[in-house]
Amino acid sequence: MSILSVSYKDLLEEGLRYIEKLNVKYGDLRYQEYEYETIYVEDGGLREYSKMVRRGIGVRIFNNGSWGFSSTNILDINMLQKAIDKAYSMAKTFRGSKDISERKTVREKIESLYKKDPFEISPEEKIKIAIEANKSSMISGIRSVVTRLGLQKDKRIILTLDGADIEIKTTFVGLSHLSVAYENGKIERVFDQKSKVAGWEFIEKEDWNSFTKDLSELAVKAVRAPMPKAGRFKVVADPDLIGLILHEAFGHASEGDLVSSGTSILKNKIGEKVASEFVTIIDEGVVEGGYFVPYDDEGNKKKRTVVVEKGVLKGYLTHLTSAKELGIEISGNGRAQDFENPPIVRQTNFYMLPGDQSFEELIEDIDEGYYLLGRGAGGGQVDTGAGTFTFAVGPSYRIEKGEIKELVRSTVVSGFILDTLKEVDGVGKDLKIETSVFGGCGKDGQMVRVGHGGPHVRIRNILVGGELK
Amino acid sequence: MIDVMEIVRKLERKGASEAEVVMWRNRRFRVSFSEEISDIIDLELISVSLRVAVNKKIAVIGVEDISSENIERKIEEIIRIARASSEDPYWGGLNTVFGKTVVEEIYNKELDEVSYDDVRDIIRTMVDNVHDVHPKVSVSRGSFNILRTEYNYANSYSNEILKRSENNFGGYIWVRADVDNIGTFSDFFIGRSIKKDFDPAYFSRKVAERSLEFSRARKTTAGKYKIIFENSVAGSILTSVFSPAVSAETIFRKRSPLIDKIGTQIFDDKISIVDDGTIGRYIGAREFDDEGHPTQRTILVEKGILKTYLYDSYYAKLLNTRSTGNAWRGLASSPRPSHNVLIFEPGDLEINDLIKEVGRGIYVVRVIGEWLSNPVSGYVQATITHAYEIENGEIREPLKGGTLTMNLYENLKRSFIGASKEIRATPARIVVPSIAVDNVSIS
């Protein structure tokens, strides 16, 4: 077993000096310390108190037009040198013709804001909050309830051969809840969560008992509700849902590695109209309500990237390799799940800018349609090459002649990337961005935390799954 | 190397009434490529999971910082957390039944000997064969992976360390045809032996040919159809909807539509499904489960009748029965019951005969979003990305788009047409034929 005789920063610097001697085009070292706690309560009782602790270093070497990556969680210089040698050997064997962008690098230490360290709070206090929230949701008509309290601390240090020296600490907390309702052979489940890049003060401030009880009440109503009618409808999507639509329908297709490899339907479309003039889409690393990505995992500052401006495609999300391939700026979107994985192009906080319409104005001229809600939705998926996307919708409402009518059950919505955003004909003046400490976005086997959101948005024509009538 | 039994004893000395320790040593080798190789990952990591009960108070800690000082700190911490926790009233104790089932072919030394040069040649073969199909077809993305897992397990009752090792290879390619219109297609490969299980040239040519076909796909028309789900699609739907429903956890927690359905007809009488963790060539097979219990063959559905659920030791004790050897765990969570290898018994028709039997309908070969289906109600929903029209018993035009919906239990009970002879094993630990079903809505 190794004994850490030098501090991790000294170890990284020693590793970097070792990489320098290899005479490679580029190399980086990424140290990560990660702590994650979950308090899992089911049907009124504590099911499990669990904790994960990870620490390790990822090593990346770029040479001969190819990347090599390895990592170690035995933190001594011998094991680090072995990982570096392995990454070097891979880059040497698998020669390629890729290149990386030149850039200006910086040194910075940055930490997300919090008042109370969640890992300093006693287990008893955390358990009490989770159990009370869970019990509050056990109302008549509910069959099963699950509550999870999630707490995360993530510290990353990125040291690169071209001079970047970045340290980022993020504290992140939240609570999730699932209510399952049953009536006359029908079952409906509704899930929701609230998370924030903050400390224990966020958990103390929220009324979790109302949060979970409201979800149970919604599940009980939803189990009695009809399925929506299947077909193409005019809809208003709430900010939770519009964030998901953007993330799936557009965000992935704007990822530079997918664009350069030909896996995105947005390839060669810069300057073209890809959405209606009401649509402006931003990817931004630090924004209220979102996850905290001031720098990416290559040490690039995460810029405020305008992806779509008034319906016209303006840019892609990029990292060192994809920026070079596409001949555009690095946007700071090279992100890795952890020290065991190399950075790939990922979204950070992907959202639509608000417009100027009230909610009433958005629904007033809808004769027949739906007010689609994200609460209770379970995510989505996109085929960026075929241009098809789909995502779940939580219990929602029917709209008739400009008025909100009855609740309908959860369903899915799907469409084609290049069609859907052209159908946006109204954008609300509100804005909400959210993130989750319980999940994130998956790509190439890596999950990273993301944020997404926007205002209420009206879409003239979208395919709603449901019952054929 | 970490001695898991020694840590069990330390946890007991610190105050655990029961303790369980697992160590994984994993090698993950992955080469990502498009037209050429882009990223290569090769790493070996050790992870340790501790679980203790202090009376009926449970805590779990997963550790990837494996310095001896940190392990010592986590031993202290987990006892503190467990003491502070409230009791799990259902706790019946850790697993006490240990053993190894004979599972052949689960570890193949051939994969340890694969060199970087070998992998480079395999990838070159795939890319070249894609080009051979048509000059305007190219590889947009792909990966080739080798995974090796060593698993050491001990608990307060095991007396010795149980050890098992598995390895496999796999990957996918995603191909784009840039002809009059853009066509795409992707497919996966998986197995224990590259030499026996994988022909990279044949595999990549098939994917390329389909990408060309889908460059002329038109949109699917709404309606109610007879559908054939190609085996990989059928597999992912069953994994998302059926597998969670037969877990003893969802049964006990009342989140399954199969509560109180043992002995009743849930599917057509031509359908039988088993869970079998003992067939080594399938991914998911293993000698013992994640709490040391031997794996077995379990009949879940026989001629349409539900026979049993899948248990780990927690739910077996709770429901007064025996574990079926189906415990799966994450690094920082207690084991939970899930399928080892779910096998949907094949039918007696070749796929072309099944297509003839359907006559008119849609042959769905790729979907997205099927995992958004609802295992609590059995409601299936998925968005079609690649399909073919079936007309007069033959495959006709390629199709794309449309959301399909059905209820798994309704449609497989009342509208099941048949299953193909051909089966396929998928990375989701399921072996499944292509399945034909009537009355599926497409919007």
Side-chain angles (χ1 to χ4, degrees):
Chain A
M1 191 66 52
S2 70
I3 294 175
L4 193 61
S5 56
V6 289
S7 83
Y8 45 76
K9 191 65 185 286
D10 292 341
L11 183 65
L12 288 177
E13 282 169 356
E14 199 174 344
L16 204 60
R17 285 195 291 276
Y18 186 77
I19 294 175
E20 274 169 353
K21 289 179 195 157
L22 296 174
N23 197 26
V24 293
K25 176 149 189 180
Y26 173 85
D28 60 33
L29 294 168
R30 186 162 30 87
Y31 169 85
Q32 185 190 21
E33 254 176 54
Y34 180 83
E35 240 179 308
Y36 188 78
E37 248 182 46
T38 315
I39 289 100
Y40 184 105
V41 179
E42 197 162 18
D43 301 337
L46 180 70
R47 171 78 169 89
E48 188 170 277
Y49 193 126
S50 72
K51 182 164 186 166
M52 174 148 52
V53 184
R54 315 177 71 196
R55 191 202 299 251
I57 298 174
V59 179
R60 205 164 58 137
I61 299 285
F62 185 81
N63 209 29
N64 297 321
S66 184
W67 289 105
F69 177 84
S70 191
S71 64
T72 179
N73 62 347
I74 299 176
L75 297 183
D76 64 27
I77 191 63
N78 290 334
M79 292 306 289
L80 183 56
Q81 285 177 353
K82 274 187 187 170
I84 293 169
D85 289 341
K86 204 182 250 186
Y88 175 68
S89 161
M90 285 180 246
K92 196 173 166 185
T93 309
F94 295 99
R95 287 168 175 274
S97 61
K98 287 190 181 297
D99 203 354
I100 55 173
S101 285
E102 303 235 331
R103 58 174 179 170
K104 279 186 186 167
T105 53
V106 295
R107 301 164 73 89
E108 189 174 356
K109 277 189 183 183
I110 187 163
E111 183 166 11
S112 67
L113 295 176
Y114 70 91
K115 290 179 184 154
K116 288 188 181 176
D117 184 341
F119 291 88
E120 296 295 322
I121 304 300
S122 73
E124 289 89 341
E125 190 173 345
K126 294 171 192 169
I127 292 166
K128 184 167 174 272
I129 283 184
I131 288 182
E132 279 180 7
N134 188 265
K135 284 184 173 169
S136 297
S137 67
M138 296 168 75
I139 61 173
S140 172
I142 288 295
R143 209 174 205 195
S144 177
V145 283
V146 176
T147 306
R148 284 191 301 164
L149 185 62
L151 313 164
Q152 175 195 298
K153 266 193 161 186
D154 190 357
K155 174 179 173 178
R156 296 178 186 215
I157 299 174
I158 302 127
L159 236 61
T160 73
L161 209 53
D162 59 349
D165 182 353
I166 303 295
E167 181 175 322
I168 306 167
K169 287 185 194 171
T170 309
T171 304
F172 194 23
V173 298
L175 185 139
S176 76
H177 184 79
L178 170 74
S179 289
V180 180
Y182 176 85
E183 188 176 282
N184 297 330
K186 287 184 181 170
I187 300 176
E188 182 76 17
R189 56 177 184 164
V190 181
F191 170 86
D192 200 9
Q193 65 85 34
K194 270 189 193 177
S195 300
K196 191 166 188 193
V197 175
W200 186 250
E201 67 279 1
F202 174 71
I203 300 295
E204 285 179 326
K205 178 177 74 70
E206 292 287 316
D207 181 354
W208 299 111
N209 297 348
S210 298
F211 172 74
T212 58
K213 192 175 171 209
D214 287 352
L215 274 180
S216 282
E217 286 171 353
L218 180 63
V220 170
K221 282 182 200 159
V223 79
R224 297 169 185 158
M227 286 298 295
K229 196 162 76 173
R232 296 196 160 273
F233 291 97
K234 192 176 249 195
V235 304
V236 171
D238 79 346
D240 293 353
L241 198 57
I242 205 67
L244 191 55
I245 296 174
L246 288 186
H247 177 92
E248 295 300 340
F250 217 86
H252 282 295
S254 68
E255 290 165 356
D257 51 350
L258 302 185
V259 174
S260 63
S261 69
T263 325
S264 168
I265 202 148
L266 296 180
K267 187 175 183 176
N268 299 326
K269 290 213 162 26
I270 293 280
E272 288 187 20
K273 199 159 176 57
V274 292
S276 80
E277 67 273 21
F278 299 101
V279 177
T280 295
I281 302 171
I282 306 292
D283 183 77
E284 191 166 6
V286 182
V287 58
E288 179 61 30
Y291 193 58
F292 186 65
V293 193
Y295 288 87
D296 71 4
D297 288 306
E298 297 181 318
N300 302 305
K301 189 161 183 64
K302 173 55 206 154
K303 294 173 181 162
R304 184 177 193 266
T305 311
V306 179
V307 179
V308 173
E309 189 171 26
K310 293 180 179 169
V312 176
L313 185 66
K314 289 288 180 181
Y316 301 123
L317 309 179
T318 59
H319 67 342
L320 278 174
T321 324
S322 56
K324 183 74 178 179
E325 282 173 345
L326 295 166
I328 58 177
E329 274 196 341
I330 302 167
S331 65
N333 287 81
R335 302 183 62 199
Q337 173 180 288
D338 50 31
F339 70 91
E340 295 178 27
N341 287 283
I344 54 175
V345 181
R346 309 303 299 268
Q347 298 163 61
T348 61
N349 299 295
F350 202 80
Y351 66 97
M352 188 186 290
L353 289 184
D356 57 4
Q357 289 185 278
S358 66
F359 178 71
E360 290 71 25
E361 286 169 330
L362 289 173
I363 64 166
E364 68 187 2
D365 64 346
I366 297 180
D367 277 344
E368 188 189 11
Y370 290 99
Y371 174 34
L372 300 176
L373 303 179
R375 188 162 74 152
Q381 190 177 354
V382 63
D383 181 332
T384 54
T388 314
F389 68 87
T390 187
F391 52 87
V393 174
S396 296
Y397 292 91
R398 196 170 64 80
I399 300 173
E400 188 183 304
K401 295 187 171 35
E403 286 183 12
I404 299 290
K405 296 290 183 180
E406 77 277 6
L407 189 76
V408 293
R409 295 182 74 170
S410 306
T411 187
V412 294
V413 176
S414 67
F416 290 97
I417 294 170
L418 293 180
D419 297 344
T420 303
L421 290 184
K422 285 179 184 161
E423 298 289 343
V424 170
D425 70 350
V427 176
K429 53 190 170 193
D430 54 333
L431 174 66
K432 183 183 164 198
I433 296 167
E434 62 173 12
T435 180
S436 171
V437 73
F438 301 100
C441 169
K443 177 179 167 184
D444 288 354
Q446 294 194 48
M447 193 279 292
V448 295
R449 307 284 188 214
V450 292
H452 50 60
H456 277 85
V457 169
R458 186 174 59 212
I459 304 170
R460 274 190 301 246
N461 182 355
I462 196 164
L463 185 60
V464 177
E467 282 180 346
L468 286 176
K469 289 180 181 169
Chain B
M1 184 62 80
I2 289 166
D3 183 332
V4 291
M5 186 57 89
E6 191 184 315
I7 302 174
V8 167
R9 298 300 172 224
K10 274 187 188 170
L11 287 163
E12 289 168 347
R13 284 198 294 276
K14 293 286 179 184
S17 39
E18 294 171 285
E20 176 184 68
V21 179
V22 173
M23 189 206 72
W24 290 264
R25 187 189 186 102
N26 293 335
R27 181 198 179 203
R28 184 159 64 95
F29 173 52
R30 175 187 168 107
V31 181
S32 304
F33 58 95
S34 50
E35 285 290 282
E36 64 173 49
I37 286 160
S38 51
D39 294 295
I40 308 105
I41 302 171
D42 192 356
L43 53 91
E44 193 173 287
L45 289 176
I46 297 171
S47 318
V48 176
S49 181
L50 317 176
R51 181 164 65 142
V52 298
V54 175
N55 301 321
K56 287 187 164 194
K57 298 174 175 181
I58 314 302
V60 183
I61 293 188
V63 184
E64 278 193 349
D65 176 352
I66 55 158
S67 62
S68 50
E69 301 92 323
N70 188 54
I71 298 279
E72 292 296 330
R73 277 197 299 271
K74 294 307 156 196
I75 287 172
E76 301 283 343
E77 187 177 356
I78 194 170
I79 299 293
R80 266 202 319 275
I81 291 175
R83 284 188 174 136
S85 295
S86 52
E87 285 193 352
D88 176 353
Y90 302 124
W91 180 252
L94 290 168
N95 176 43
T96 53
V97 179
F98 306 99
K100 279 187 174 186
T101 304
V102 176
V103 183
E104 290 173 351
E105 300 178 61
I106 204 163
Y107 194 93
N108 189 348
K109 281 191 179 166
E110 171 204 315
L111 295 183
D112 290 339
E113 289 154 10
V114 173
S115 70
Y116 289 167
D117 286 335
D118 294 335
V119 174
R120 190 182 54 197
D121 292 346
I122 290 169
I123 291 170
R124 191 73 263 155
T125 303
M126 283 199 274
V127 173
D128 288 347
N129 275 275
V130 163
H131 294 165
D132 284 350
V133 169
H134 192 285
K136 288 195 168 178
V137 181
S138 58
V139 178
S140 290
R141 295 162 72 73
S143 78
F144 183 93
N145 315 306
I146 294 176
L147 299 172
R148 185 185 68 220
T149 304
E150 293 169 39
Y151 188 89
N152 288 6
Y153 177 91
N155 79 16
S156 294
Y157 310 109
S158 64
N159 294 324
E160 59 174 2
I161 300 170
L162 282 96
K163 296 183 179 181
R164 62 166 208 244
S165 300
E166 299 116 35
N167 63 2
N168 65 73
F169 77 97
Y172 75 98
I173 57 169
W174 201 101
V175 167
R176 171 185 162 109
D178 199 348
V179 284
D180 296 337
N181 293 301
I182 304 292
T184 63
F185 201 71
S186 66
D187 205 356
F188 65 85
F189 52 91
I190 192 161
R192 301 278 190 201
S193 163
I194 298 169
K195 286 175 191 159
K196 281 200 296 192
D197 300 337
F198 187 46
D199 179 344
Y202 177 80
F203 170 80
S204 50
R205 291 181 79 90
K206 286 284 170 203
V207 178
E209 284 162 7
R210 274 193 162 174
S211 74
L212 269 176
E213 286 177 358
F214 282 101
S215 66
R216 53 186 174 80
R218 61 173 173 78
K219 290 186 182 177
T220 314
T221 312
K224 281 216 169 189
Y225 289 96
K226 289 180 182 171
I227 298 280
I228 298 179
F229 295 101
E230 194 178 60
N231 37 32
S232 61
V233 177
S236 51
I237 289 172
L238 288 168
T239 306
S240 304
V241 183
F242 179 70
S243 172
V246 287
S247 155
E249 178 176 29
T250 63
I251 296 295
F252 179 74
R253 302 290 176 184
K254 298 186 172 61
R255 293 197 293 267
S256 169
L258 299 180
I259 298 165
D260 301 328
K261 293 280 170 73
I262 297 277
T264 66
Q265 191 88 32
I266 61 163
F267 291 145
D268 185 281
D269 61 11
K270 292 192 285 296
I271 294 175
S272 293
I273 301 174
V274 300
D275 178 72
D276 195 338
T278 71
I279 306 173
R281 67 179 178 277
Y282 295 138
I283 309 307
R286 54 214 177 130
E287 295 160 299
F288 57 87
D289 73 3
D290 283 355
E291 49 188 1
H293 193 286
T295 51
Q296 64 181 48
R297 177 182 168 86
T298 305
I299 297 171
L300 290 168
V301 177
E302 189 171 34
K303 295 180 179 171
I305 294 170
L306 183 67
K307 292 290 181 183
T308 188
Y309 307 122
L310 297 175
Y311 296 89
D312 63 356
S313 70
Y314 180 91
Y315 286 101
K317 287 178 187 193
L318 195 51
L319 297 166
N320 203 23
T321 184
R322 288 174 51 247
S323 168
T324 50
N326 285 87
W328 288 84
R329 76 193 316 146
L331 176 61
S333 58
S334 291
R336 291 198 158 77
S338 181
H339 66 275
N340 290 327
V341 182
L342 210 57
I343 303 174
F344 192 112
E345 298 293 345
D348 50 12
L349 292 174
E350 304 281 349
I351 183 68
N352 286 335
D353 294 328
L354 191 60
I355 291 165
K356 273 185 198 141
E357 172 97 11
V358 164
R360 183 169 184 275
I362 294 177
Y363 182 36
V364 177
V365 296
R366 291 291 177 274
V367 296
I368 56 172
E370 75 288 355
W371 54 274
L372 296 168
S373 300
N374 189 343
V376 180
S377 63
Y379 184 70
V380 174
Q381 45 199 4
T383 295
I384 298 168
T385 59
H386 299 78
Y388 295 95
E389 182 182 32
I390 300 172
E391 197 66 57
N392 296 325
E394 288 180 0
I395 293 285
R396 293 283 171 85
E397 294 303 304
L399 303 170
K400 64 178 179 181
T403 301
L404 68 83
T405 53
M406 66 175 192
N407 186 289
L408 186 80
Y409 302 99
E410 284 296 311
N411 288 67
L412 287 190
K413 188 175 180 183
R414 303 185 206 288
S415 308
F416 179 71
I417 298 168
S420 70
K421 258 185 191 174
E422 299 89 344
I423 52 170
R424 189 172 189 195
T426 82
R429 313 192 312 266
I430 185 158
V431 180
V432 65
S434 296
I435 294 171
V437 181
D438 199 357
N439 290 319
V440 179
S441 298
I442 292 184
S443 57

